[in-house]
Amino acid sequence: MNCLSQRQLIAYMEDRLSPVNKRNAESHLDHCTHCQHQLEQWIDELHQTEETMWEESLSKNMDQKIIQMLSPHPVRVLTPATPTHQPPAWKQRSITIMKRMTLTAAALTVVVSGGMLVSPTFASYVNAAFTNSPIGKADPVAPMNNSILQKSGDSGIEQAAQKGFAQTVNVSATDQGITFEVKEVMADPLRISIAAIVKDKNGKPMDSFLSEMIRRDNKEQVITIKDKQGNVLKPIEASANEDTRKPNEDWHNVMNVDTGYMSLDRELRSYFADISEIPDELIVEFNIKQLDDIKGNWKLSVPVDMKKAKAATKTHEINKTYTTPQGLKLDVKQMTFAPSGVEMVIDRSTTDNQRKEYSYELVNEKGTVVAAWDSKAVIREASKQNNVIKYLKWDHTRSTENGTRDFHYFQPIDASQSLTFKLGSVYTEEAAALNAKLDTDRLEKKESIAVEDQGDQFTFKKYQKDPNAVVDVEGYDGVHRVNDDGSTTKLEGYHLSFEGKLDPDTAAMTPFEYWTISDETGKKYVDVDYYIHKTEYEKGRAILGSTIFLENLTTLPKQLIITSEKRMVEHKNVEWEVPIYAGK
């Protein structure tokens, strides 16, 4: 199923869609977990910015005065249809946060991504190819004091820029009266951040830019990173999904409404087995074929001087090992302090080749948790992650001779304090025996069918649209693919809902990753989508709600059979802690 593109999401957020297309987008948002999570990420970052910036700079009185003068936020999906209906958590949170953050008429629909206040006025689709020779190359100049990235990056980028690691480059390309300019870059051995802008013939920032760099159907790269000799950098180990990986999705991009500058960010670590291998100079090449609806050629090269950041990056060897009672062996190898963040390297192996994951904390001498890592499979409400760099899109793992090497990234940590590694939970793959036989005639009669396996309770029923739903689209009767023009195409299939309450020992992860759906004849259904509409964590138990869509299932079998032979179990508070850094 095709999700809303970034262009469609942003047009919707800014209330620029026609009434029909707006309803279609809302219908999709109400049932698509991917687009809901996209919105949730923005809301999470907006909430963080609200706490760290706006609440300090505005009095409550001024806050209320401004809010009272503003109309409701244009995202209709965030407004309950009736006063008594409680919308899903992601919607309710957005109502509160958006009302508090909507501060000016020019920025009514503010979205925060990557730790910066942005207005998502993105409107371009980009298709590009690369050339091998640098074009428009310029020499780097000394780091500047009035840094754009210092004002717009996440906390690590801002801190690095503040300490003088941002470089002015001023490289531009003009075609069709439009100028694409890269103004500034900050790079250290962990990641790179670029500040760029698109301007019209009068030099005014345009209300559009490279919003579709990470568009799912992009086939050609927009950005290439090379060394000084012109060799294209490539990850030293291809990811498991390399064949389906899109060439631009590792770049995260956001835009600052006040300045018109976009921030383009990605990790650098996957290119090098060791930080010492990173060259003193890099070249970032752009080859853009289309901006918004205008086709042209915007080619330029951005020089990146790595010497100063490399000199300021220090790696501390740890090499502390422990094997848990569950058969998970951890080797905490090293910790690297870079200008924009901290990298933890941990080798992981198992005694039985079963999937095992873990969580941990970094605690200072005062007992304060300065950073924490948790499996990315844990649902948001239960996650123990703290102070992580959220938008590094690398897989964070690399194969080793005996297992896997994990790379975890945190915002800068004060290197003057002593740190202790404290292991939290261990997640193990265990046997399950779920066997839910769902009679379709009962489902069609709107009956609920409950099943239980090892304390995990699931209730299945035929999907029915909630008459009190926040989004009420007349005639909605299934899953629709949203087209680029905002129209929708209905997909044929069958809707099934389930609610699950997991046992306290079951890991707070989505159980359906292990599910198999078949019928009484043994036929398996593989075109299955799960749309999560509820994730909660109460008293140590994960509570999930999801709609299952079986595409192209139009004739019902006698039974739908859901089975699972595995589940993830959480072993809490595994006791192992070890000093890893003595401070300086």
Side-chain angles (χ1 to χ4, degrees):
M1 177 182 179
N2 292 340
C3 291
L4 292 167
S5 69
Q6 190 177 42
R7 178 175 184 158
Q8 293 164 344
L9 271 173
I10 291 163
Y12 171 62
M13 290 290 293
E14 295 186 340
D15 203 24
R16 293 189 283 106
L17 293 178
S18 68
V20 172
N21 290 341
K22 184 185 301 181
R23 288 196 298 269
N24 290 335
E26 290 170 346
S27 173
H28 179 85
L29 271 171
D30 207 30
H31 298 84
C32 176
T33 180
H34 176 85
C35 292
Q36 288 176 10
H37 286 174
Q38 174 86 32
L39 191 58
E40 272 197 330
Q41 286 182 350
W42 289 338
I43 292 170
D44 280 345
E45 293 300 330
L46 192 147
H47 179 62
Q48 180 180 358
T49 299
E50 167 204 19
E51 291 179 340
T52 60
M53 185 175 74
W54 292 105
E55 288 188 348
E56 295 178 0
S57 61
L58 291 176
S59 68
K60 292 183 179 179
N61 184 48
M62 178 62 72
D63 190 3
Q64 293 302 315
K65 287 182 179 179
I66 295 174
I67 292 172
Q68 289 172 5
M69 292 187 292
L70 298 175
S71 60
H73 193 276
V75 183
R76 305 294 186 249
V77 71
L78 306 181
T79 306
T82 64
T84 58
H85 175 65
Q86 182 71 17
W90 65 275
K91 297 177 182 177
Q92 181 59 54
R93 289 168 58 222
S94 62
I95 296 169
T96 302
I97 296 171
M98 289 297 183
K99 283 184 178 180
R100 296 180 65 182
M101 290 298 295
T102 308
L103 298 178
T104 66
L108 281 175
T109 55
V110 173
V111 171
V112 170
S113 182
M116 64 180 285
L117 185 65
V118 300
S119 171
T121 51
F122 306 162
S124 64
Y125 289 92
V126 176
N127 292 294
F130 276 88
T131 59
N132 292 324
S133 58
I135 299 173
K137 182 177 179 181
D139 294 327
V141 298
M144 57 187 168
N145 295 322
N146 189 20
S147 167
I148 297 170
L149 293 172
Q150 182 179 335
K151 302 174 183 177
S152 61
D154 64 29
S155 60
I157 295 296
E158 290 179 4
Q159 182 170 311
Q162 184 178 12
K163 292 182 177 180
F165 292 97
Q167 307 165 37
T168 301
V169 289
N170 289 331
V171 182
S172 64
T174 301
D175 193 13
Q176 309 297 318
I178 297 176
T179 297
F180 173 71
E181 179 181 3
V182 174
K183 186 73 173 180
E184 184 180 335
V185 62
M186 196 300 299
D188 64 23
L190 303 186
R191 53 178 172 159
I192 184 171
S193 183
I194 295 173
I197 193 170
V198 176
K199 298 183 288 188
D200 62 20
K201 61 182 180 180
N202 297 317
K204 182 180 179 181
M206 293 181 62
D207 189 24
S208 64
F209 71 100
L210 300 175
S211 63
E212 295 302 325
M213 282 180 48
I214 55 173
R215 187 179 172 201
R216 292 181 187 80
D217 59 351
N218 270 353
K219 303 300 181 184
E220 299 173 296
Q221 280 188 302
V222 174
I223 304 178
T224 298
I225 303 178
K226 299 181 178 181
D227 63 20
K228 187 178 180 180
Q229 290 71 38
N231 300 309
V232 177
L233 299 187
K234 295 182 179 180
I236 62 174
E237 180 179 285
S239 65
N241 61 341
E242 193 66 27
D243 291 340
T244 59
R245 195 176 187 88
K246 305 308 177 185
N248 304 304
E249 68 180 355
D250 287 329
W251 288 88
H252 176 69
N253 63 83
V254 291
M255 186 173 182
N256 187 301
V257 64
D258 296 326
T259 65
Y261 279 94
M262 70 185 95
S263 175
L264 309 171
D265 306 271
R266 70 153 297 157
E267 58 79 29
L268 289 177
R269 188 66 166 86
S270 62
Y271 296 121
F272 308 98
D274 191 273
I275 286 178
S276 62
E277 299 175 359
I278 298 176
D280 289 341
E281 295 181 49
L282 295 175
I283 298 171
V284 181
E285 292 189 4
F286 289 82
N287 190 339
I288 305 166
K289 299 296 185 181
Q290 185 168 332
L291 288 171
D292 199 3
D293 297 325
I294 302 174
K295 294 183 178 181
N297 290 282
W298 295 269
K299 302 179 182 180
L300 52 85
S301 292
V302 179
V304 183
D305 191 337
M306 300 290 297
K307 292 189 289 294
K308 182 177 180 180
K310 285 177 60 180
T313 299
K314 307 298 180 183
T315 296
H316 171 68
E317 298 295 331
I318 301 172
N319 297 319
K320 302 290 186 179
T321 63
Y322 176 69
T323 301
T324 74
Q326 297 78 31
L328 172 65
K329 181 180 180 180
L330 296 176
D331 181 357
V332 184
K333 297 196 69 65
Q334 65 184 31
M335 185 177 192
T336 296
F337 296 86
S340 74
V342 171
E343 176 190 75
M344 288 291 297
V345 179
I346 301 174
D347 281 1
R348 166 171 47 112
S349 60
T350 65
T351 58
D352 55 9
N353 294 321
Q354 294 294 315
R355 175 185 173 189
K356 291 181 174 66
E357 301 185 39
Y358 58 99
S359 69
Y360 65 88
E361 297 175 338
L362 300 182
V363 183
N364 67 15
E365 62 270 20
K366 297 179 180 179
T368 302
V369 176
V370 298
W373 180 263
D374 202 353
S375 167
K376 291 189 288 186
V378 173
I379 64 173
R380 184 173 308 231
E381 291 79 1
S383 177
K384 307 175 187 68
Q385 286 194 358
N386 179 30
N387 201 37
V388 299
I389 299 176
K390 294 184 177 181
Y391 294 106
L392 289 179
K393 297 188 176 181
W394 184 32
D395 291 337
H396 303 291
T397 61
R398 183 177 289 161
S399 297
T400 63
E401 182 178 352
N402 299 316
T404 300
R405 177 159 295 174
D406 296 332
F407 300 81
H408 301 152
Y409 297 98
F410 303 101
Q411 300 291 357
I413 298 172
D414 182 3
S416 67
Q417 57 192 331
S418 298
L419 298 173
T420 295
F421 179 96
K422 185 176 181 180
L423 188 61
S425 295
V426 172
Y427 307 97
T428 61
E429 193 175 63
E430 307 288 346
L434 177 66
N435 188 10
K437 295 183 178 181
L438 312 178
D439 294 332
T440 55
D441 59 341
R442 292 180 59 189
L443 295 174
E444 289 298 296
K445 294 176 182 178
K446 302 180 181 181
E447 294 184 29
S448 296
I449 302 176
V451 296
E452 183 173 340
D453 174 44
Q454 301 180 80
D456 297 336
Q457 303 167 2
F458 301 102
T459 301
F460 297 90
K461 59 184 177 181
K462 181 181 179 181
Y463 171 78
Q464 299 178 60
K465 182 170 175 60
D466 183 354
N468 296 318
V470 175
V471 179
D472 187 10
V473 180
E474 183 178 356
Y476 179 84
D477 56 355
V479 173
H480 291 67
R481 180 179 65 244
V482 180
N483 305 314
D484 285 342
D485 62 359
S487 63
T488 62
T489 302
K490 182 183 176 182
L491 301 180
E492 295 295 328
Y494 185 76
H495 259 141
L496 179 69
S497 294
F498 85 84
E499 291 186 351
K501 188 173 184 180
L502 304 185
D503 185 83
D505 290 335
T506 301
M509 303 175 181
T510 51
F512 48 72
E513 61 180 308
Y514 291 110
W515 287 4
T516 297
I517 301 180
S518 60
D519 61 23
E520 74 281 357
T521 69
K523 177 183 177 180
K524 293 183 178 180
Y525 297 92
V526 294
D527 293 328
V528 182
D529 288 319
Y530 296 85
Y531 302 95
I532 303 173
H533 57 78
K534 179 174 70 175
T535 60
E536 298 174 358
Y537 193 68
E538 298 179 355
K539 298 180 180 179
R541 301 187 69 165
I543 302 172
L544 307 170
S546 177
T547 300
I548 305 171
F549 179 64
L550 291 82
E551 189 173 348
N552 298 321
L553 176 59
T554 55
T555 301
L556 291 180
K558 292 182 179 180
Q559 285 187 331
L560 288 173
I561 304 172
I562 300 178
T563 59
S564 178
E565 297 179 352
K566 294 180 180 180
R567 66 183 184 126
M568 291 298 291
V569 173
E570 179 178 8
H571 308 270
K572 301 179 177 70
N573 300 317
V574 180
E575 295 184 0
W576 180 58
E577 58 181 82
V578 60
I580 59 172
Y581 182 71
K584 63 178 182 180

